[in-house]
Amino acid sequence: MRIVVEDAAVSTVDEVGTEYGAGHVIINDGVIERVGPGPAPDLGPVDRRVDGRDCLATPGLINTHHHLYQWATRGLAQQADLFQWLTTLYPIWARIDGEITHAAATAGLARLALTGCTTAADHHYVFPSGKGDLLAAVVEAAGAVGIRLHAVRGSMDRGQSRGGLPPDSIVETMDGALAGTEEAIDSYHDASPEAMVRVAVGPCSPFSVSPELMSAAMELARYKGVRLHTHLAETVDEEEQCRAEFGCTPAEYAEKLGWLGHDVWLAHGIHLSDGAVRRFGDSGTGVAHCPTSNARLGAGIARVRDLTGAGAPVGLGVDGAASNEDGGLGAELRWATYLARLRGGPEALTARDALRLATIGGARCLGRQEELGSLEAGKQADVALWRLDGVEHAGIADPVAALVFGTLPPLALLLVGGQTVVEDNEIRTVSTVDTADALRVASARLVEVAG
Ligand code: ZN
């Protein structure tokens, strides 16, 4: 099956940032066969030709941090900081089941696809006992929507009775969490380059997980050869608690536990010292930067320019929809750019820097830079084709500025491994009407039973 996209502006996001004002992308059997300027050369029979006039082709966007189940708890705790927000929501989340998780994940993933996302990491750390196989519900939803999933099997074992923030009713035992994590890896992890599902190990955060589980989870991940993820250095409160309890900053705590390295990416990484930024860079520890969520919770502004300058992989994340009711990845490019500029001035982050974070930066965080994150021959055919001919964008001097500075353009096409997921700005794999109906029912059920 050969697909040819022609006459589009192309931003490849390769190592040197190659772009074409009018170029082509040729896809063959789910893999990019050729990218170049001008008309496409004849490489053999073509099954589908896509007219890319007035469009911008970019790599599909990569979301490095999400909590899909939260799509069913949007619009709550609106003025709360992180700890207030968590303590309000934990009792509601304790009631989730397989059906609610499936409805929320399907809707959240559909929303991501409609904003150009082709790969999403979902950090799921709430596993109430007797409520069904929640991870299976997320995997099933990703299969139906058709985007790549990095299922981060999260865990919490430190309830209030052990000095943690979550109520005891929502945490697992350490042994239960580890057994569930190992089962998830054995059931779903696919190490192949074209994998649609990979699994990572993700104890939730220092304030909800014991040091013993942090260490054991790390050993399990390294034994199994999968990646490690957790929340770190999100708020000043977290840092104060960490200093009081462990006598060090969250970054120092992570390092002591062995939690820095090329196989680790951490959500947020906002409150980092110069030394911690250097250590992240030297060790290759990645950061999932979640600008909208950080703004919604007033958590702070991550040192994105310093981190990338130090050599740390940095990707973008929408974070859970309970702290980012938009849940779309496209808008995070603009937020990342503008927050970086509020921190460091107008040269702190360019539109192309933001696109790089959202594509190859995310691929590096997920360990997939060899197969995803840029439009280059041999990589998986995850491609977003953005329409720039509407009143919002027509005539703009630079198509990448249209994508990052402007309102998010509609998608002419979104391909994942060469398969159509979005066309003419409509999702083609699931019914948005049925998905919204199921979400409405699930959200009402969850808030009602909890209230
Ligand atoms: Zn999060």
Side-chain angles (χ1 to χ4, degrees):
M1 173 82 179
R2 182 174 279 120
I3 305 168
V4 173
V5 179
E6 277 189 296
D7 220 3
V10 180
S11 186
T12 67
V13 199
D14 66 6
E15 189 68 32
V16 294
T18 304
E19 294 184 350
Y20 306 111
H24 61 268
V25 180
I26 305 176
I27 292 155
N28 197 6
D29 285 338
V31 174
I32 297 171
E33 191 172 18
R34 186 188 153 99
V35 183
D42 183 4
L43 299 181
V46 174
D47 301 278
R48 182 178 183 192
R49 283 189 185 275
V50 178
D51 181 358
R53 262 177 306 170
D54 298 320
C55 292
L56 168 68
T58 69
L61 307 183
I62 296 177
N63 176 24
T64 58
H65 185 68
H66 204 335
H67 311 288
L68 287 164
Y69 72 91
Q70 292 179 12
W71 201 254
T73 57
R74 310 199 303 294
L76 303 171
Q78 293 178 20
Q79 275 69 248
D81 66 20
L82 176 68
F83 283 3
Q84 295 163 340
W85 176 87
L86 282 169
T87 47
T88 304
L89 288 162
Y90 282 138
I92 300 175
W93 295 340
R95 312 297 291 260
I96 62 170
D97 60 20
E99 199 179 330
I100 289 167
T101 303
H102 186 267
T106 307
L109 289 162
R111 171 69 183 147
L112 283 171
L114 286 164
T115 58
C117 175
T118 50
T119 298
D122 178 48
H123 189 187
H124 191 107
Y125 53 85
V126 179
F127 293 93
S129 65
K131 294 295 182 69
D133 188 341
L134 306 195
L135 208 69
V138 177
V139 171
E140 211 276 329
V145 174
I147 72 177
R148 297 183 204 275
L149 175 71
H150 280 236
V152 184
R153 206 296 186 180
S155 52
M156 301 191 291
D157 72 333
R158 199 163 162 237
Q160 283 162 359
S161 65
R162 299 180 65 197
L165 193 69
D168 288 355
S169 60
I170 202 175
V171 305
E172 298 176 279
T173 63
M174 182 168 106
D175 289 346
L178 289 169
T181 306
E182 185 162 12
E183 189 187 330
I185 298 166
D186 293 344
S187 302
Y188 301 117
H189 184 68
D190 176 359
S192 69
E194 64 275 16
M196 292 300 289
V197 181
R198 286 199 184 166
V199 176
V201 176
C204 186
S205 62
F207 50 83
S208 60
V209 177
S210 67
E212 294 77 24
L213 178 53
M214 290 295 291
S215 294
M218 180 191 74
E219 282 166 19
L220 175 65
R222 291 190 171 143
Y223 173 69
K224 292 282 190 182
V226 302
R227 298 179 81 76
L228 278 164
H229 184 56
T230 192
H231 293 93
L232 201 88
E234 182 174 0
T235 64
V236 172
D237 289 347
E238 176 195 336
E239 176 159 338
E240 284 172 358
Q241 185 176 331
C242 194
R243 281 186 189 280
E245 195 168 0
F246 303 114
C248 60
T249 66
E252 288 164 350
Y253 177 66
E255 181 156 22
K256 263 192 231 176
L257 290 169
W259 263 78
L260 297 187
H262 286 280
D263 56 350
V264 181
W265 88 106
L266 303 165
H268 305 301
I270 297 170
H271 302 282
L272 298 176
S273 66
D274 290 346
V277 168
R278 269 197 308 276
R279 291 294 301 127
F280 277 38
D282 292 346
S283 60
T285 305
V287 170
H289 174 43
C290 305
T292 297
S293 170
N294 297 159
R296 158 65 148 98
L297 295 171
I301 301 175
R303 301 176 61 180
V304 172
R305 166 58 83 200
D306 297 336
L307 283 162
T308 56
V314 180
L316 295 184
V318 306
D319 206 358
S323 60
N324 173 2
E325 277 74 2
D326 180 337
L329 190 51
E332 300 299 320
L333 281 76
R334 182 163 25 150
W335 273 96
T337 308
Y338 290 168
L339 288 193
R341 290 179 179 201
L342 284 173
R343 187 183 176 102
E347 294 183 3
L349 208 71
T350 69
R352 282 162 181 81
D353 292 336
L355 181 58
R356 184 162 281 278
L357 298 178
T359 53
I360 194 68
R364 287 180 70 201
C365 286
L366 301 183
R368 300 194 75 169
Q369 64 273 21
E370 301 301 324
E371 60 224 38
L372 304 177
S374 61
L375 299 179
E376 293 179 88
K379 284 201 166 182
Q380 298 296 306
D382 295 3
V383 183
L385 191 64
W386 309 91
R387 288 204 78 91
L388 301 178
D389 57 353
V391 288
E392 304 90 340
H393 308 97
I396 191 163
D398 172 17
V400 178
L403 174 64
V404 176
F405 295 158
T407 191
L408 194 70
L411 283 165
L413 194 62
L414 185 76
L415 301 174
V416 180
Q419 301 289 316
T420 300
V421 175
V422 176
E423 190 169 2
D424 295 334
N425 216 36
E426 288 184 8
I427 192 149
R428 298 302 165 120
T429 48
V430 293
S431 155
T432 46
V433 173
D434 293 349
T435 301
D437 280 347
L439 175 65
R440 187 162 39 243
V441 170
S443 304
R445 236 185 84 216
L446 189 55
V447 175
E448 190 178 298
V449 291

